[in-house]
Amino acid sequence: MNPATGETIARVSQGAEADVSAAVKAARTAQAKWAALPGHERAKHLYALARHVQQHARFLAVLETIDNGKPIRESRDIDIPLVARHFYHHAGWAEILADEFPGAGPQGVCGQVIPWNFPLLMLAWKVAPALAAGNTVVLKPAEYTPLTALAFAEIAREAGLPKGVLNIVTGDGTTGAALTGHPGIDKVAFTGSTAVGRVIRRQIAGSGKALTLELGGKSPFIVFADADLDAAVEGVVESIWFNQGQVCSAGSRILVAEAVSARFTDLLKRRMARLRVGDPMDKSTDIGAIVHPVQLARITDLVEKGRAEGVAIHQGEAPAGCFYPPTLVTGVEPASILATEEIFGPVVTLTPFRAPEDAVALANNTRYGLAASIWSENINLALDVAGRVRAGVVWINSANLFDAGAGFGGMRESGFGREGGREGMSAYLKLAVPKAKKPEEAPAALDASPAETLPASAIDRTAKLYIGGKQARPDSGYSYRVEGPKGTVGLAPLGSRKDIRNAVEAAHGAKGWGAQTGHNRAQVLYYLAENLSARVAEFEDRLRSFGQTASAAKTEVETALRRIFWYAAQADKFDGAVHSTKSAHVTLAMHEPLGVVGLVCPTALPLLGLVSLALPAVAMGNRVVVVPSQTHPLAATDLYQVFQTSDLPGGVINIVTGEREVLTKTLAEHDDVDGLWYFGTGDGAKAVETASAGNLKQTWCEEGAARNWLSAEGQGRNFLTRATQVKNIWVPYGE
């Protein structure tokens, strides 16, 4: 349906499970041959796609506008040129793939589900890197806007793309669910609502499929008192009234300094009154049609609910039909439905603030974290706030800038993974994943009954939990036996749900760790390694008490020691990048810590397993809650004395011992945990990924017995990548 006129313009097939299976089979058949092509050959195909898109640019722009309702100016001048740009850019990645990503290979068959707000551009964002990496694709376009995807399929055939490399299956949400849940899919990429993202996370939990999610947003648009107010007003137009506000990164929450709030509001109202709403095919139209009556009804309903809360609503004009006027809402409380819910329409709220700290607090007062726009003539202030706003993309004195050379994606409930740039390319590649010869078994049940005898030993002591830099008794009041080959070797505290909550709270209290320089973190980690080296014999004795040979114990301690030094060295060297993007801009790709990360260690190698997971995480500025080996946790509890003498701030590393799956469940369900690494059983991994859908925390799950922690598999840049997320900051640069 053409949303601007209500006329039916085409009928499209409703794809069934059989259609999805046929497409996946075709993609699987073509994948090996496509991946085996030299990068240069794949690059030529992508260059051809880019050129053919340009040849059909006028047709694609008109078709997009008729199908979607967006103004022809936007389709013609923004969407279609960016589509071509993505195929040109990723042709370059295909050409140099072996040099830039040594050892990496394609994921396999990718299932991609795209939204209706940028139908062809979202296709390009996903298809171009997938094909460049050697994957094949089955893509489902949005049910409201499938026409340019079908047209692109014809263009791909015209350009000579081999059969089966790209497959398009149209349909509604049931078709998408059949695709994402299909056992023949190796990677799922989804752009859409957070609610559907949660469904997909749960649907594929435990399947081993790679997943990237680009979800909803409620992005702040921050205007400081020294900003160029006229430019900022134009930024609002580009941010929330671009594409009828149907943009996940739209700056739908204006936060303006109190000192200029009245003037800014007046300027914005005057500019809003001059916006032209109407026929999308008219080149003078600023705001076109809402994509579908269902979406129009949602926008109208949310605004009316806001009106019932007592806000002031200022609106422009809009013709009858599937149109909605540009809308400014003032007098909005931070908890208002219009300030918290993603409206996905041309509706923006305005809230004054006094100090920069207030602006940051209001900006982060959302469950989303996709984008932010900051306006100030003080570049120090703008960059300072950019570093403190929790968003995957930040624009300085600009808004809604996109380029294939820079990653795009969010934090928190805006999803994870990036599209575009180096980080977007890496999302369609994988390194060899170790396989377990024998899957790890669930640890035996814990025994909290009194031990008959405990050995007299120089290293025996009453173990406690380690929370907030202090030894803590477990909330349960119980300890459990830790067994060796000759019986009980000690007692470990039986941690509980409340202990995990306390540890997470302590980790949040240590947020200053991530703000330190990499050099300062490195010094602490070097000091930790020095203090551990002074107690090598003690830790070797502890490992021997668990039944290890003297040689094995020595090797594990030595490897752990070297690993600490290696990650200390990386603390100030795992840098981001500077992307060359649009003219007069430079884009800083900054590595930032995830925040609070739960680490569930493998059963074997109780010292090295903890060190191998905790050190890369804390080296990158994260704070961690560690669940050590359930079977032999005393090597972990011995470590807290090393931590206490190494200037490690309290709360950076917290240790909770006990029943692994019980503690893991609490971490997975906790909404204040930002990431969770789990090395255990297959069933445990499925439970982790299912429970983590609540706040869409980033997860890393592996069979605990798969990785050889004593080898190079036990460390590397992959661990550092897992411990960080990329924030892309667009900064004005040059003329």
Side-chain angles (χ1 to χ4, degrees), residues 279-340:
D279 180 7
M281 290 300 295
D282 186 332
K283 296 175 185 177
S284 299
T285 293
D286 297 301
I287 298 177
I290 302 300
V291 71
H292 194 275
V294 169
Q295 180 61 17
L296 177 63
R298 170 180 165 77
I299 297 167
T300 303
D301 179 62
L302 284 170
V303 172
E304 291 310 309
K305 286 179 179 177
R307 192 189 304 273
E309 295 176 340
V311 301
I313 296 176
H314 317 273
Q315 292 185 311
E317 300 292 330
C322 205
F323 295 88
Y324 197 84
T327 301
L328 170 66
V329 184
T330 57
V332 181
E333 296 294 331
S336 167
I337 190 170
L338 297 181
T340 57

Side-chain angles (χ1 to χ4, degrees), residues 460-474:
D460 182 59
R461 62 181 68 88
T462 302
K464 296 183 180 67
L465 308 178
Y466 185 63
I467 297 175
K470 299 176 182 178
Q471 299 179 39
R473 296 186 185 278

Side-chain angles (χ1 to χ4, degrees), residues 676-697:
L676 181 54
W677 299 357
Y678 173 87
F679 290 78
T681 65
D683 288 343
K686 181 176 181 178
V688 163
E689 292 176 347
T690 301
S692 293
N695 72 335
L696 291 167
K697 60 175 63 67

Side-chain angles (χ1 to χ4, degrees), residues 492-628:
L494 185 60
S496 67
R497 183 183 188 89
K498 187 172 188 303
D499 297 312
I500 290 289
R501 292 204 304 265
N502 292 341
V504 171
E505 184 177 346
H508 275 282
K511 62 183 179 181
W513 177 250
Q516 291 193 27
T517 65
H519 170 71
N520 288 343
R521 291 197 297 270
Q523 285 183 303
V524 173
L525 300 186
Y526 281 129
Y527 194 19
L528 191 157
E530 291 171 3
N531 286 331
L532 178 60
S533 67
R535 300 174 64 172
V536 163
E538 179 183 330
F539 279 88
E540 289 178 3
D541 287 345
R542 176 64 86 183
L543 296 177
R544 285 200 301 272
S545 76
F546 301 150
Q548 290 192 22
T549 65
S551 175
K554 180 179 177 64
T555 299
E556 181 172 349
V557 175
E558 287 180 348
T559 305
L561 195 57
R562 288 198 304 272
R563 201 147 284 170
I564 297 172
F565 276 112
W566 194 83
Y567 284 116
Q570 287 284 3
D572 61 353
K573 297 173 184 65
F574 188 69
D575 292 330
V578 179
H579 295 317
S580 176
T581 47
K582 292 185 181 296
S583 60
H585 285 87
V586 65
T587 308
L588 311 177
M590 306 295 294
H591 284 154
E592 291 193 349
L594 299 181
V596 174
V597 181
L599 307 175
V600 183
C601 301
T603 299
L605 301 170
L607 174 65
L608 183 59
L610 183 151
V611 167
S612 299
L613 296 183
L615 265 294
V618 299
M620 294 296 98
N622 297 284
R623 295 88 69 202
V624 300
V625 177
V626 182
V627 178

Side-chain angles (χ1 to χ4, degrees), residues 81-101:
L82 270 175
V83 169
R85 161 71 172 144
H86 272 268
F87 283 103
Y88 276 124
H89 178 80
H90 287 94
W93 277 123
E95 186 79 43
I96 62 176
L97 194 68
D99 299 317
E100 293 295 319
F101 295 94

Side-chain angles (χ1 to χ4, degrees), residues 17-33:
E17 288 189 16
D19 301 305
V20 171
S21 292
V24 172
K25 182 179 179 181
R28 179 64 62 192
T29 301
Q31 198 273 322
K33 187 174 181 181

Side-chain angles (χ1 to χ4, degrees), residues 51-112:
R51 289 195 298 272
H52 281 255
V53 164
Q54 289 177 319
Q55 290 166 13
H56 295 288
R58 181 178 293 271
F59 160 68
L60 290 170
V62 171
L63 182 60
E64 193 82 315
T65 288
I66 292 173
D67 197 15
N68 170 273
K70 63 175 60 188
I72 187 65
R73 273 192 303 118
E74 294 178 8
S75 298
R76 180 195 64 196
D77 299 342
I78 298 173
D79 290 28
I80 306 308
L82 270 175
V83 169
R85 161 71 172 144
H86 272 268
F87 283 103
Y88 276 124
H89 178 80
H90 287 94
W93 277 123
E95 186 79 43
I96 62 176
L97 194 68
D99 299 317
E100 293 295 319
F101 295 94
Q107 297 278 0
V109 176
C110 298
Q112 302 176 333

